[in-house]
């Protein structure tokens, strides 16, 4: 399997990126969502405006211009090459912690109707807040964590109908 990622910028520019490119970059976090990036002799100021972990999509303000960046992994590219549309059938009912962290806010309760993309809870990991969103519309059936809980990667947090 080819170990390159594909970035799609503003739904039009597609570029394959080799992970070794990260060795050529110098990235420093200035504030919570603000970064200083050095590549070659060029300096960039970046701010992460919005992130959608499930869709792997990020809104980034870079030197005064806003870009919508979608990241596709090598597995995503293989699935596409095979002719399958990943994500076309939304049967995800179990929302798990994508990484270890602390639940700092639970936005829903059992019985709530949620829409696809709606924030379910906020997970703090590595000093960053991550809004975990609903992968599909549905009803909250079970909640297995509360505000303040420390969770491990893969722990069931919410079950949807």
């Amino acid at each position: 399997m080819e170990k390159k990622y594909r970035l799609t910028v503003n739904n039009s520019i597609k570029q394959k990126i080799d992970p070794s490119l990260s060795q050529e970059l110098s990235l420093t976090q200035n504030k919570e969502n603000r970064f200083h990036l050095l590549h070659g002799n060029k300096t960039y100021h970046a701010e992460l405006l919005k992130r959608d972990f499930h869709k792997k999509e990020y809104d980034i303000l870079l030197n005064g211009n806003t870009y919508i960046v979608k990241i596709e992994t090598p597995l995503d590219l293989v699935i596409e090459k095979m002719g399958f549309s990943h994500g076309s059938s939304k049967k995800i009912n179990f929302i798990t912690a994508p990484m270890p962290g602390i639940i700092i806010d639970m936005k829903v309760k059992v019985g709530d109707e949620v829409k696809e993309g709606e924030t379910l809870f906020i997970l703090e990991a590595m000093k960053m807040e991550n809004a975990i969103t609903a992968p599909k519309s549905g009803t909250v059936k079970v909640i297995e964590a509360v505000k303040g809980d420390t969770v491990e990667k893969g722990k069931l947090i919410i079950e949807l109908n």
Side-chain angles (χ1 to χ4, degrees):
M1 183 182 332
E2 192 174 306
K3 295 292 183 192
K4 291 189 177 179
Y5 291 76
R6 182 169 65 191
L7 300 180
T8 303
V9 181
N10 293 340
N11 293 319
S12 61
I13 301 169
K14 294 183 186 262
Q15 179 68 45
K16 285 193 177 177
I17 303 291
D18 191 307
S20 65
L21 173 66
S22 65
Q23 296 172 359
E24 300 172 21
L25 302 174
S26 173
L27 181 68
T28 307
Q29 187 171 0
N30 297 337
K31 294 183 181 172
E32 186 175 340
N33 289 323
R34 293 177 189 235
F35 302 86
H36 180 263
L37 177 69
L38 183 63
H39 181 248
N41 292 328
K42 292 188 178 181
T43 299
Y44 302 92
H45 298 281
E47 181 177 356
L48 182 60
L49 301 174
K50 180 180 161 189
R51 63 182 152 245
D52 186 328
F53 182 79
H54 292 289
K55 291 182 181 178
K56 298 180 223 160
E57 195 171 281
Y58 305 86
D59 291 6
I60 300 170
L61 180 65
L62 185 67
N63 284 357
N65 297 310
T66 301
Y67 301 95
I68 300 169
V69 179
K70 182 173 174 72
I71 301 171
E72 294 173 282
T73 66
L75 179 59
D76 293 328
L77 300 178
V78 168
I79 290 170
E80 179 182 80
K81 196 173 189 177
M82 292 172 62
F84 295 107
S85 173
H86 59 289
S88 62
S89 176
K90 304 265 182 161
K91 296 186 179 184
I92 300 170
N93 291 327
F94 301 98
I95 293 82
T96 59
M99 63 197 87
I102 299 171
I103 305 289
I104 60 169
D105 196 8
M106 184 62 67
K107 300 285 190 180
V108 295
K109 60 185 183 310
V110 173
D112 283 357
E113 295 288 327
V114 296
K115 292 188 181 346
E116 180 178 345
E118 184 177 331
T119 299
L120 301 173
F121 60 96
I122 307 293
L123 178 71
E124 182 182 281
M126 298 183 292
K127 298 183 183 178
M128 293 196 62
E129 293 182 6
N130 302 281
I132 309 303
T133 59
K136 67 171 195 168
S137 296
T139 305
V140 177
K141 182 178 175 184
V142 175
I143 298 177
E144 294 287 336
V146 296
K147 182 177 178 177
D149 281 357
T150 299
V151 296
E152 294 298 320
K153 178 180 179 178
K155 181 191 180 344
L156 174 65
I157 308 295
I158 294 177
E159 183 180 347
L160 298 176
N161 268 345

